[in-house]
Amino acid sequence: MVSASDRVTDPGKNPGKNPGKSPARTSVWVDRRTPSRTRRTESPAGLDLTRITEASVRLLDAEGLAKFSMRRLAAELDVTAMSLYWYVDTKDDLLELALDSVYAEIAPPREDTDWRERLRELARSYRELIVRHIWISPLAGTFLNIGPNSVLFSSAVMDVIRATGLPLERQTGALSAVFQFVYGFGTVEGHFKARSDATGLTQDAYHRHAMGTIRSQPHLRAIVESSDDLMAARGGDTVEEMRERDFDFALDLLIAGIEAKRDRTGPATTAAHRGQQPQ
């Protein structure tokens, strides 16, 4: 564990202060530090980093990111808060460990299918992960996502993107198009579900209540009614069915776009090798 005196700010932002000190930790995966003190022999029996991380995930699922604290986690584990600091340096370390641990829930795609189906499998699995653990959405945008499970997921995604046949200079753009879409879709879905659960209503009842409130306001009713035909054509008898239709069609559009761009630009070689400007 690193003592509080070792946690310093960026020396570039505070020139002349704490000379010789290391910069503040940026990631639990980047800055592996030697503990400044030996772990106490009287630490609670059975307590280890795996158990602490698993308890963190359970607590984050149950109570959310805003209520997560070292004291609350210690109470969940029936230990003192200080005993946790013999295993991690900060609460951020724990959040980063919890974030990476849930990426292990994403199974690798089947290898006996083409890239389109493998891409769909990964996209669906990532969406389900975000909905299942809604707290990972803000954390994935905060931390570096370079833990072992996250890297394995990224590797699986890159393998599929390479198999599309897109030119190399287009592959990261395709990856961003698909998985930034999934990230946003899953985030909205997860929070809508959580909000419905918090009100004690089903997603359908919550949606009807929200739309009814809007329709009751004259200055908004016309806007909603103008899209009634669009909503009717959307299909699906429930919010979940409508959402599934939207997700599947949007993913099909992205895959079709990848195919069209690949066919337009040719085989997977760089524009420089072709002697052409990217299209």
Side-chain angles (χ1 to χ4, degrees), residues 169-200:
E169 70 273 13
R170 301 299 192 196
Q171 291 181 11
T172 54
L175 185 156
S176 296
V178 173
F179 287 93
Q180 292 295 341
F181 153 68
V182 177
Y183 174 84
F185 194 101
T187 296
V188 173
E189 178 183 1
H191 283 284
F192 184 86
K193 182 179 183 300
R195 184 61 64 109
S196 300
D197 292 344
T199 62

Side-chain angles (χ1 to χ4, degrees), residues 40-94:
R40 286 177 175 172
T41 56
E42 64 267 24
S43 294
L47 188 64
D48 57 31
L49 194 55
T50 298
R51 184 182 169 205
I52 292 170
T53 302
E54 290 173 349
S56 298
V57 171
R58 290 196 303 271
L59 197 58
L60 287 162
D61 284 343
E63 299 184 0
L65 185 59
K67 293 183 179 180
F68 184 79
S69 70
M70 300 296 270
R71 288 185 180 277
R72 181 67 189 87
L73 177 61
E76 179 75 11
L77 289 165
D78 195 25
V79 299
T80 66
M82 283 306 299
S83 66
L84 299 176
Y85 287 102
W86 295 98
Y87 297 89
V88 293
D89 212 27
T90 67
K91 184 176 83 170
D92 277 359
D93 289 355
L94 263 184

Side-chain angles (χ1 to χ4, degrees), residues 4 48 50 64 73 81 113 115 117 142-143 149 160 190 216 225 241 246:
D48 57 31
T50 298
L73 177 61
T113 57
W115 67 265
E117 189 54 37
T142 300
F143 296 119
N149 294 307
V160 174
S216 69
E225 290 177 348
E241 287 178 4
D246 286 349

Side-chain angles (χ1 to χ4, degrees), residues 26-27 91-93 95-96 99 138-146:
T26 58
S27 169
K91 184 176 83 170
D92 277 359
D93 289 355
L95 293 175
E96 206 171 357
L99 172 63
L139 296 186
T142 300
F143 296 119
L144 293 176
N145 297 278
I146 56 173

